[in-house]
Amino acid sequence: MNVLRPLLMAALLAAVSVSCLKSDEPEPNIEPKNTYSATTINTDYIYIGVKGGWFGWARDSAKIKPMLERITAEGKNPGFKKQNTSLTAQPQTLSFDNGIATMMPGMDANRYSYQLTDNGGVLLLRGLDTLTVPTESSTRSEILTKMVVKQPAYNKIEAAPAEADYEYQIRSLPEQYATVGFGELQFPMINYYLKTSNGVETYGRVNNYLNQLIHQQLATGDTLMIQLEGHNFE
């Protein structure tokens, strides 16, 4: 697999590329009898989105670099990696048996149901059990919700139990997404750092596809820094 294309191309849904295949070409598919193993992580450049457009590293690194250095020094780096390169992935396997997919070690869960969606171009893994994780906020930023294409089937923020040492918790059915290729799967990852116009900062990483039009959803003064990754399994 080649290193990810520039941002706007890399963010396209797999279904788009699948639909462009010639009619006489076989469509990619998963092989449940196979065990897929993590091989490489392909990284894109770092970009900054503001209301109305994107700044890219190749053209605007003088604007991006100081901000990246600041948040890294403050320990707010969500996992930005060396840009536009291919890295060796940590050992990880994905196998299928009796309608259940097992990922070891898991991301948000180890065992999933699975199905092909988007005309067979995307593999959807959905956790068998609800996952509960603590969170510091009772609200999820609308920006983060709109940043991604795929929305989970179930995701609810609620008050934590009285005996907990945190205020809120998120209950969800963990989902993972992978673009289906010929003999391989690629899990799209988004590393992000967000600073809103009122000074609130949040950062993290998510397995999802980037909404290319997210910059149009930003308010004046919002800043969104992202780097896309593709985790390849063969």
Side-chain angles (χ1 to χ4, degrees):
M1 172 70 72
N2 294 329
V3 172
L4 291 180
R5 297 177 182 180
L7 171 66
L8 297 183
M9 289 300 295
L12 290 176
L13 274 173
V16 175
S17 60
V18 170
S19 66
C20 294
L21 291 172
K22 295 180 180 179
S23 59
D24 58 349
E25 291 182 348
E27 292 188 358
N29 205 342
I30 59 170
E31 295 292 343
K33 66 180 182 295
N34 293 346
T35 294
Y36 292 82
S37 299
T39 56
T40 55
I41 298 174
N42 295 327
T43 66
D44 201 353
Y45 288 104
I46 292 174
Y47 292 78
I48 284 183
V50 296
K51 186 174 180 62
W54 292 100
F55 294 105
W57 189 271
R59 185 189 63 195
D60 306 299
S61 59
K63 296 179 180 179
I64 300 174
K65 190 175 181 180
M67 185 174 181
L68 178 61
E69 291 176 342
R70 177 185 68 80
I71 67 173
T72 301
E74 294 174 354
K76 299 171 183 174
N77 184 351
F80 294 125
K81 296 178 174 62
K82 184 178 179 181
Q83 301 178 67
N84 194 35
T85 192
S86 183
L87 307 170
T88 300
Q90 295 294 323
Q92 198 171 21
T93 61
L94 177 63
S95 58
F96 303 86
D97 184 49
N98 292 325
I100 301 299
T102 302
M103 182 173 285
M104 296 296 294
M107 292 184 186
D108 291 333
N110 293 100
R111 301 177 73 242
Y112 303 83
S113 64
Y114 65 91
Q115 60 179 301
L116 291 174
T117 66
D118 300 325
N119 296 320
V122 173
L123 171 67
L124 166 62
L125 302 174
R126 179 169 291 156
L128 301 182
D129 300 308
T130 303
L131 185 70
T132 303
V133 297
T135 181
E136 296 179 358
S137 174
S138 61
T139 59
R140 178 174 173 81
S141 170
E142 289 187 13
I143 296 175
L144 298 182
T145 300
K146 294 175 181 178
M147 182 179 71
V148 298
V149 172
K150 299 290 189 179
Q151 300 298 328
Y154 176 67
N155 192 82
K156 182 180 180 181
I157 298 177
E158 57 187 27
E163 65 275 11
D165 57 359
Y166 48 89
E167 289 190 71
Y168 304 99
Q169 61 188 21
I170 299 176
R171 290 177 56 81
S172 66
L173 276 176
E175 294 183 359
Q176 305 293 340
Y177 311 97
T179 298
V180 179
F182 292 97
E184 68 179 21
L185 304 170
Q186 184 177 91
F187 288 80
M189 306 296 293
I190 306 172
N191 298 315
Y192 67 88
Y193 164 84
L194 171 67
K195 185 173 183 179
T196 63
S197 56
N198 59 0
V200 175
E201 296 176 283
T202 185
Y203 56 94
R205 66 200 315 264
V206 60
N207 163 225
N208 213 307
Y209 299 92
L210 178 69
N211 172 9
Q212 298 178 44
L213 303 180
I214 181 58
H215 61 280
Q216 297 180 7
Q217 310 283 349
L218 299 174
T220 301
D222 289 347
T223 302
L224 177 65
M225 180 182 292
I226 65 166
Q227 182 184 33
L228 303 183
E229 301 176 12
H231 290 221
N232 291 347
F233 283 65
E234 297 179 350

